[in-house]
């Protein structure tokens, strides 16, 4: 199907195997120089399309196709730059699908097999290219971009990888893989349907992997930038200490005769690599030190801090008071549970109204019914399962599902009552 016979392919493979050392040197060292002994061999490899002339006369390099194959096999970080144009790939697949459909409908078996093989190669190359692309990006993240050594180059490579991955994700999201099922909208063979279905399934799996790689790249870029900042701070501190040797403490400081006697017996001073700015007693000295380090010609006078006294009263503790009528609703629920009977909110109100008035507690019947209903709604799920509420009322004229309730009845559920 490829247009060549097996003998031509075998001859090319024998040439690669026979001159493996020469091709390996050209790949590893970048180029090889021709001499009189290798002239015939180099001419043969040049005619076979395995090497090509270099810019310098008498030197040869490995051709792009062979180098690309070796790069993929040796996991060189070059193929991540190849941005696959999925729009053109989908168009190419669609053209092959139409050719296969027409050949199958016309019962041209040999042409249909050719188009099916062509479709299989195209789908495999697409999946292999994207999978290899993602593998190389994942390998670069895991190895912390080990193919470069300095932090600045690692950050630059991470930014390039991240930009490429984001462009690739934006391009892949423009394609709706479910549109590919339209290619199966005819009496197609099962083998063709399996190829298209597996391609759609793979396409849906590749997007989450790419998003995960982008997240890991962002985390890696943040860590590399943090490491670079820390390394820069350490270099600046080392440079400062080299310029100011007076900050180096003598190891035999305690033996110096000029050291005061009081310091020889004083406890060790706690050393820190930072200044605690929260301590207000060192604020003035710290400002003077900062001004002197800046080497200003005219030191701005430091304003004295104005202080003032703040008086406060202790927080008054107030005991929480329960609402009177909420306690009455609890008594209503207790009567239902203890007496195992249904209790009407309105009848309960009429029974205890005089007692409430004697205690100067006033509430209208409508507000009392609404309070009982709201207290029932505030019960826990287990309590609501034990109690049942029935609403008594009439439909509002002019509406369908609106009711004006005049009373609520609380009772135990049937299974608990039994």
């Amino acid at each position: 199907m490829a247009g060549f016979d097996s003998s031509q392919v075998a001859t090319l493979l024998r040439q690669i195997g026979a001159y493996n050392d020469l091709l390996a040197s050209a790949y590893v060292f970048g180029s090889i120089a021709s001499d009189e002994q290798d002239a015939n061999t180099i001419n043969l490899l040049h005619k076979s399309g395995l090497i090509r002339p270099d810019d310098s006369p008498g030197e040869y390099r490995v051709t792009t196709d062979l180098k690309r194959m070796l790069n993929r096999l040796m996991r060189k970080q070059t193929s991540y730059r190849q941005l696959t144009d999925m729009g053109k790939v989908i168009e190419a697949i669609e053209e092959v699908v139409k050719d296969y459909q027409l050949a199958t409908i016309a019962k041209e078996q040999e042409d249909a097999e050719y188009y099916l093989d062509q479709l299989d190669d195209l789908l495999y190359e697409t999946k292999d290219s994207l999978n290899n692309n993602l593998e190389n990006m994942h390998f670069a993240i895991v190895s912390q971009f080990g193919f470069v050594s300095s932090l600045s180059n690692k950050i630059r490579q991470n930014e390039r990888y991240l930009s490429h991955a984001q462009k690739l994700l934006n391009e892949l999201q423009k394609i709706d893989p479910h549109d590919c099922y339209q290619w199966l909208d005819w009496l197609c063979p099962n083998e063709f349907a399996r190829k298209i279905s597996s391609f759609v399934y793979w396409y849906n799996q590749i997007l989450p992997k790419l998003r995960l790689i982008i997240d890991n790249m962002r985390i890696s870029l943040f860590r590399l930038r943090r490491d670079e900042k820390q390394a820069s701070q350490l270099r600046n501190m080392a440079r400062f200490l080299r310029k100011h040797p007076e900050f180096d403490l003598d190891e035999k400081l305690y033996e110096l005769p000029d050291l005061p006697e009081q310091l020889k017996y004083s406890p060790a001073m706690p050393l820190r690599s930072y200044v605690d700015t929260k301590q207000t007693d060192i604020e003035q000295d710290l400002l003077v030190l900062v001004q002197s380090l800046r080497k200003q010609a005219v030191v701005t006078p430091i304003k004295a801090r104005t202080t003032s006294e703040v008086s406060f009263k202790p927080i008054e503790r107030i005991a929480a008071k329960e609402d009177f009528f909420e306690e009455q609703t609890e008594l209503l629920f207790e009567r239902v549970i203890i007496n195992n009977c249904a209790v009407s909110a309105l009848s309960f109100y009429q029974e205890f109204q005089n007692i409430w008035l004697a205690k100067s507690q006033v509430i209208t019947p409508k507000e009392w019914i609404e309070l009982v209903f709201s207290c029932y709604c505030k019960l826990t799920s287990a309590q609501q399962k034990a109690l049942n509420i029935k609403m008594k009322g009439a439909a509002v004229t002019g509406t369908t599902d609106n009711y004006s309730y005049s009373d609520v009845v609380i009772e135990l559920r049937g299974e608990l009552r039994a």
Side-chain angles (χ1 to χ4, degrees):
M1 303 297 292
F4 303 99
D5 54 13
S6 59
S7 61
Q8 292 176 308
V9 179
T11 302
L12 182 61
L13 294 178
R14 279 196 299 268
Q15 290 178 357
I16 296 175
Y19 307 109
N20 55 348
D21 294 335
L22 192 63
L23 293 174
S25 300
Y27 174 73
V28 174
F29 299 106
S31 63
I32 54 174
S34 62
D35 52 15
E36 295 180 356
Q37 297 180 355
D38 297 334
N40 295 330
T41 301
I42 289 178
N43 290 333
L44 178 62
L45 295 177
H46 178 52
K47 292 180 180 178
S48 301
L50 297 176
I51 59 175
R52 62 176 178 83
D54 197 4
D55 296 334
S56 301
E59 294 186 358
Y60 290 85
R61 290 178 174 269
V62 178
T63 56
T64 306
D65 295 333
L66 181 58
K67 187 177 182 180
R68 186 182 297 113
M69 181 188 70
L70 294 175
N71 283 340
R72 294 186 62 181
L73 296 177
M74 302 301 293
R75 299 185 65 86
K76 285 294 187 69
Q77 304 302 313
T78 55
S79 60
Y80 85 95
R81 301 177 185 273
Q82 299 174 3
L83 183 60
T84 305
D85 191 350
M86 287 303 300
K88 295 182 179 179
V89 171
I90 296 297
E91 291 179 358
I93 295 175
E94 188 174 6
E95 292 178 357
V96 177
V97 168
K98 291 181 179 179
D99 294 338
Y100 174 77
Q101 180 180 359
L102 294 176
T104 303
I105 294 175
K107 297 183 179 181
E108 298 172 353
Q109 191 65 26
E110 295 182 357
D111 292 346
E113 292 180 359
Y114 168 77
Y115 291 129
L116 186 62
D117 291 342
Q118 191 177 11
L119 177 64
D120 184 76
D121 294 339
L122 185 57
L123 294 178
Y124 179 81
E125 290 176 0
T126 303
K127 293 189 288 186
D128 186 65
S129 176
L130 277 176
N131 288 333
N132 184 71
N133 205 340
L134 299 184
E135 288 178 3
N136 286 334
M137 288 190 287
H138 182 264
F139 178 77
I141 300 172
V142 173
S143 64
Q144 290 295 316
F145 302 91
F147 44 88
V148 290
S149 56
S150 62
L151 282 174
S152 59
N153 289 330
K154 289 179 181 292
I155 293 175
R156 191 179 300 110
Q157 289 294 329
N158 197 335
E159 290 174 348
R160 291 177 181 176
Y161 273 64
L162 182 59
S163 176
H164 165 77
Q166 289 175 343
K167 291 180 181 178
L168 183 59
L169 179 62
N170 293 334
E171 186 180 359
L172 292 178
Q173 288 178 340
K174 295 179 181 178
I175 305 299
D176 188 3
H178 294 284
D179 293 341
C180 300
Y181 285 121
Q182 296 179 0
W183 300 339
L184 306 177
D185 193 13
W186 59 289
L187 297 177
C188 58
N190 294 332
E191 186 177 5
F192 172 78
R194 283 196 300 269
K195 293 182 183 298
I196 300 299
S197 300
S198 62
F199 176 74
V200 174
Y201 176 78
W202 165 84
Y203 197 94
N204 290 329
Q205 297 294 323
I206 207 70
L207 292 180
K209 294 181 180 179
L210 184 56
R211 293 190 183 98
L212 178 61
I213 288 176
I214 291 176
D215 292 340
N216 292 335
M217 282 185 181
R218 291 172 178 169
I219 296 174
S220 176
L221 182 60
F222 172 78
R223 291 174 178 172
L224 290 174
R225 287 175 176 172
R226 181 192 59 188
D227 295 342
E228 185 186 34
K229 182 179 180 180
Q230 293 178 353
S232 177
Q233 292 175 348
L234 291 176
R235 287 193 298 267
N236 294 335
M237 179 60 70
R239 189 181 303 110
F240 177 80
L241 293 177
R242 285 194 298 268
K243 292 181 180 179
H244 299 79
E246 64 272 12
F247 286 96
D248 296 335
L249 298 179
D250 191 357
E251 295 180 356
K252 298 182 179 180
L253 180 63
Y254 61 92
E255 297 180 356
L256 295 179
D258 300 337
L259 187 66
E261 191 69 20
Q262 293 81 1
L263 296 180
K264 293 183 180 180
Y265 298 97
S266 62
M269 298 176 62
L271 299 179
R272 296 189 182 94
S273 60
Y274 60 93
V275 178
D276 188 4
T277 57
K278 296 181 180 179
Q279 296 183 7
T280 57
D281 54 342
I282 65 172
E283 182 179 6
Q284 299 297 331
D285 299 334
L286 181 61
L287 288 175
V288 173
L289 178 61
V290 171
Q291 295 291 350
S292 62
L293 290 178
R294 289 180 178 177
K295 297 181 180 180
Q296 294 182 351
V298 179
V299 179
T300 57
I302 301 173
K303 296 182 179 180
R305 177 189 289 270
T306 58
T307 59
S308 60
E309 296 182 357
V310 178
S311 60
F312 64 93
K313 296 180 180 180
I315 300 175
E316 183 180 0
R317 296 184 178 180
I318 301 176
K321 296 182 179 179
E322 295 184 1
D323 186 75
F324 175 80
F325 290 107
E326 287 187 357
E327 294 180 355
Q328 300 304 316
T329 57
E330 294 179 359
L331 295 177
L332 186 148
F333 294 143
E334 288 180 0
R335 173 179 290 188
V336 173
I337 298 173
I338 295 174
N339 298 332
N340 193 6
C341 63
V343 177
S344 169
L346 188 58
S347 61
F348 190 88
Y349 173 84
Q350 294 173 352
E351 180 180 353
F352 292 95
Q353 182 183 12
N354 295 330
I355 300 176
W356 296 347
L357 291 175
K359 296 180 180 181
S360 300
Q361 301 292 338
V362 180
I363 187 173
T364 62
K366 179 180 179 182
E367 293 176 349
W368 166 252
I369 294 172
E370 293 176 353
L371 180 61
V372 173
F373 178 76
S374 63
C375 290
Y376 174 82
C377 296
K378 290 189 294 184
L379 296 177
T380 62
S381 299
Q383 292 172 344
Q384 289 185 0
K385 290 181 180 179
L387 298 175
N388 190 15
I389 184 170
K390 293 183 178 180
M391 313 292 291
K392 293 183 178 181
V396 179
T397 58
T399 62
T400 55
D401 297 327
N402 295 332
Y403 291 85
S404 175
Y405 297 103
S406 58
D407 191 11
V408 293
V409 178
I410 308 297
E411 63 180 4
L412 284 174
R413 292 192 179 273
E415 57 273 12
L416 297 177
R417 189 182 301 129

